[in-house]
Amino acid sequence: MQSGGQCIDLSAVGDPDVLVPVTRPVVDPGPGQILVRIKAAGVAYADVKMRHGIYPGAPKIPFVPGYDFAGVVEAVGSGETPFAVGDNVAGLTKVGSYAEYLTLAPRHVAKMGSNTAFVPAAASVLNYVTAYQLIHRCTAIDEKHSVLVHGGGGGVGTALLDLLRGLNVTVFATASESKHDLVRSYGATPIDYRAHDFVNVIKSQHGRVDAVFDHIGGQHLWRSRKVLQPRGQLVCFGFAGAVQDGNGAALGTLARITAMKCMPGPSAKFYGILSPGFSFEDHIAADLDQVMRLLDAGSISPHVGAELPLEEAANAHRMLEEARVAGKIVLLP
């Protein structure tokens, strides 16, 4: 995978100002590869963790970050590929999409529908595939169940609420008060985590839930476990606390998940969309295709909190890290 044209380099570990504009040559696609002109690139919390130097498996600095994109196929290399010049596509990259052009093997790429615009497509790739796999591959949820989503106003959080709305389940979501109207618009009951203890709120209003999706990790997992039914399911899909607590938070998260697996009561697992041993990577292409179909049919409505020019990537990171924006931030090359 190689980024080209106008790009944003992660030049060092540090604050958002380490994200600097650079120009790189555009690389022609090799056998089985495609060259995409990126029209919209998503900003992910994983990008923030890479900038802090706490994301496992991140490339050696400097590199171009960017976990997902939507764009147009500009060239196709030799050999077989399902894509042709002119196709509108969306894809998962892990790194590389903060760029004007991207040359890649399209393992995690899907065609966009004819009714789909680039910005909502880019806003759907990482967040909705993550949410889709959390619901359909990590858990067994049906309309009789109740669910707690942490970070209900964030990118993955809103995606979870959107997909769960289609399953007709009872959903609670923690979120700051400014994001409560957005949470309600997806049919969920908001809980202000700054003003109230979500454990007490769930127990007083509902008793216990059947599943919890927790992106915070660390000690927070124990509190999430308290609101689960005895046969409930706890899925941790991140360790957002690592930005404040350092690298130990990731190891601590996995240690707690392991401990919970040895205990009677609710099940516990860790999920990472591209994390070896914790992913469903072989299903990403099919699940992304399903997400694109849902988007094209109008069955899902990704919430885009901000659209910024590519050169404002540093500002996008500040907005995301300070939780100033609900939903997804998208960069426009």
Side-chain angles (χ1 to χ4, degrees), residues 144-148 169-172 189 191 198-211 227 229:
K144 298 177 292 184
H145 286 156
S146 54
V147 179
L148 170 63
V169 299
T170 301
V171 184
F172 298 89
T189 300
I191 301 171
F198 72 86
V199 175
N200 292 336
V201 173
I202 293 291
K203 288 186 175 181
S204 64
Q205 293 188 12
H206 189 75
R208 296 180 185 271
V209 296
D210 297 287
V227 303
Q229 301 277 9

Side-chain angles (χ1 to χ4, degrees), residues 111-113 115-116 120 124 128-129 131-133 135-136 159 162-164 166-167 286-302:
K111 292 181 182 179
M112 294 165 47
N115 298 317
T116 304
S124 301
Y128 276 79
V129 173
Y132 186 90
Q133 293 194 335
I135 294 168
H136 296 288
D162 200 4
L163 291 171
L164 287 168
L167 298 179
D287 293 345
L288 176 57
D289 183 70
Q290 176 65 14
V291 166
M292 288 296 109
R293 291 175 186 273
L294 291 171
L295 181 64
D296 199 56
S299 300
I300 56 175
S301 303

